[in-house]
Amino acid sequence: MVTIYDIAAKANVSAMTVSRVINNTGRISEKTRAKVKRVMEELNYVPNQMARSLVLQRTNLLFLLITDITNPFYTTLARGAEDAAKKHGFRLLFGNSDENLDKENEYLDTILKTRVDGVLIAPTGDASLPHLETLRRHAVPFVLLDREVPGMESDIVLGDGKEGARQLVKHLTEMGHRRIALINGSLTASTARQRLEGFREAMKLNDLAYSDDYVLETSFGPRSDLSEIEAWLDRMTPAPTAIIAGNNVLAVEVMRTLHGRGLRVPDDLSIVCFDELASYAEIDPFLTVISQQAYQFGYLGMQMLIERIQEGEAAGPWKKIVLPSELLVRRSVKNVG
Amino acid sequence: MVTIYDIAAKANVSAMTVSRVINNTGRISEKTRAKVKRVMEELNYVPNQMARSLVLQRTNLLFLLITDITNPFYTTLARGAEDAAKKHGFRLLFGNSDENLDKENEYLDTILKTRVDGVLIAPTGDASLPHLETLRRHAVPFVLLDREVPGMESDIVLGDGKEGARQLVKHLTEMGHRRIALINGSLTASTARQRLEGFREAMKLNDLAYSDDYVLETSFGPRSDLSEIEAWLDRMTPAPTAIIAGNNVLAVEVMRTLHGRGLRVPDDLSIVCFDELASYAEIDPFLTVISQQAYQFGYLGMQMLIERIQEGEAAGPWKKIVLPSELLVRRSVKNVG
DNA sequence: CTGTTAGCGCGTTCAT
DNA sequence: ATGAACGCGCTAACAG
């Protein structure tokens, strides 16, 4: 491996001078600078980031941990995070916890060992608290994405799930629906709680009957087995005329189940959800959704993280960004008025 | 930061003993081992990966560079790569070149500086050759994904685009189509060349007229501006009855354009393509496609890479995996027979 | 403007 | 079974 000493020897200067040329620090005569640069090119020199990190005590590495890489919400978010990181000259390490606390824990280990400069994390849920405490204890700056974790203060980017749920219920009632069901992620995730709360409030506000039977708490992630959803659909009597899905994945799961039963959307049942589906939806958007600014979740979160890193940890109070969402009315709701 | 010296001091042993406990090397008495471990926990010790990498001359880091993170083909591939890397205890760094040679180059810089142990790369095209040569020159093991690069021998995972194109043309002719058009990625990508070649051959085989007007060469990536596609559609007279899209993104772009013109698929025009769309397609698969095993591209590629790394560079001849694809007939082709 | 010294945290080598 | 010395490649601090 070519080192600064090889360069130094060949250019008849000290290693320190080479280092200065590389980093543009100190004062170097144009002549030696040119000579050093020429030798570097000749030898195909590439600085060793590991060695730099060791002495500088920073890696220039950031970590993005999301919970579902197959979910377009998160890949779009990742894209935003990548762009922001790149803009500031940081490199991005990447992990996917699969809504699984153990996997999250494994990635935490990597994060700590790698001495990344900061972490952008969508926690699996409230149980992520110890993980976040570990980060805090090791003085690793982090920004939470999408989900709050009770007991942990930090910079955070959130959506307004409560308001979103209200809007969905309102829209459904305006379309004449009165028996509305909710399929939700685990209530250990703050987003699920928010959406449930907004749902309940709006149901009450509209004088609609609320029954626990009409709410299913499951996982936000994809599943191989639809039986839980099947059982839920069977359990609801009388059947709902509309279902609100806590996220895009759940909407797809429900539609798969309905499709298996030969039921059509929206003719037999209306469906709405949080978050957009993939780009396919652009062709001819079908699902009525609460659309969140996924790219901004990543971009702004990354920006906050980098600010926090650069200004030092004690850069002021925690910041909280709440991104508004938008109801996009499409064709998955039948007017039953 | 807690170091092995802190542990050593508190446990009344030398740093070397601590190192041995951490790495399970050498012989250590059970008693001291237990003591050291206890102190490590007390102090929340986490090994410094940078320091280890520096002395061990390996980082335990792998890099995956894809060309389009918004394309489900690549995210699924990424998922496969992640799983395989994790299984072997490697961490994964991640980048997205956006089908852009300059971005690819920037990531190459990161790759070199970071001293990753290996690279899994979907090159943007033939122009990536210098990048690959750089990797080779610096003795960084890599595996190519999806696209060949003339002039560079290496381990590689490919699909059979020629056969795929043949199957698509065959299917279309069986459905009565005779004016078939092709929208393709840049011919600087081997996949685009293969698909074009298969297309031409199959057209000839079926005695169908082949005209350059009916083939558009553009980018495999998403675009903001549909005018190129608009112009192409206008140019084709008589209009084709079916379009083959070189990948899923292009299929979506064409469908967006048609939708803008008030044309319906397949009533007014049939469409088929390479690669699945996102999970949304599962609900009610619409597009007839050549489905590739995206997950396997990543999983097997990563496996090859890790083998190459572990067995040393001179572990034998380059390996080439060609993954079969499958024609999935759905509802985007009209029978005009 | 340039060089020397020291040390970042760890593992290899050779002692003991 | 354990420790001391050294070096991985680089840069901060101080000399000159």
Side-chain angles (χ1 to χ4, degrees), chain A residues 78-183:
Chain A
R79 184 60 189 286
E82 187 198 13
D83 285 351
K86 205 143 181 293
K87 186 177 156 195
H88 294 273
F90 282 88
R91 297 165 300 152
L92 193 55
L93 211 45
F94 174 86
N96 167 36
S97 70
D98 253 338
E99 300 281 2
N100 178 325
L101 203 62
D102 291 333
K103 284 198 186 180
E104 185 176 285
N105 194 32
E106 288 176 42
Y107 275 114
L108 193 81
D109 193 55
T110 292
I111 286 169
L112 258 24
K113 280 188 185 146
T114 309
R115 300 294 197 269
V116 298
D117 293 341
V119 180
L120 215 49
I121 177 173
T124 58
D126 298 351
S128 299
L129 180 59
H131 296 165
L132 301 179
E133 286 172 337
T134 302
L135 287 179
R136 184 59 53 78
R137 177 159 16 97
H138 286 273
V140 180
F142 63 87
V143 172
L144 290 181
L145 297 179
D146 193 42
R147 298 175 188 172
E148 287 182 292
V149 174
M152 178 54 68
E153 301 264 316
S154 77
D155 290 327
I156 187 166
V157 185
L158 292 172
D160 188 349
K162 209 163 157 182
E163 173 59 21
R166 282 194 212 106
Q167 287 185 47
L168 288 176
V169 172
K170 179 160 173 281
H171 173 64
L172 289 173
T173 56
E174 285 168 359
M175 295 291 276
H177 293 270
R178 300 194 56 81
R179 288 197 309 280
I180 304 173
L182 171 69
I183 179 171

Side-chain angles (χ1 to χ4, degrees), chain A residues 22 42 52 85 98 118 128 174 177 187 205 226 272 305 309 320:
Chain A
I22 293 169
E42 270 178 42
R52 305 187 84 218
D98 253 338
S128 299
E174 285 168 359
H177 293 270
L187 291 179
L205 193 71
L226 295 173
V272 297
L305 179 61
I309 291 169
K320 176 179 188 166

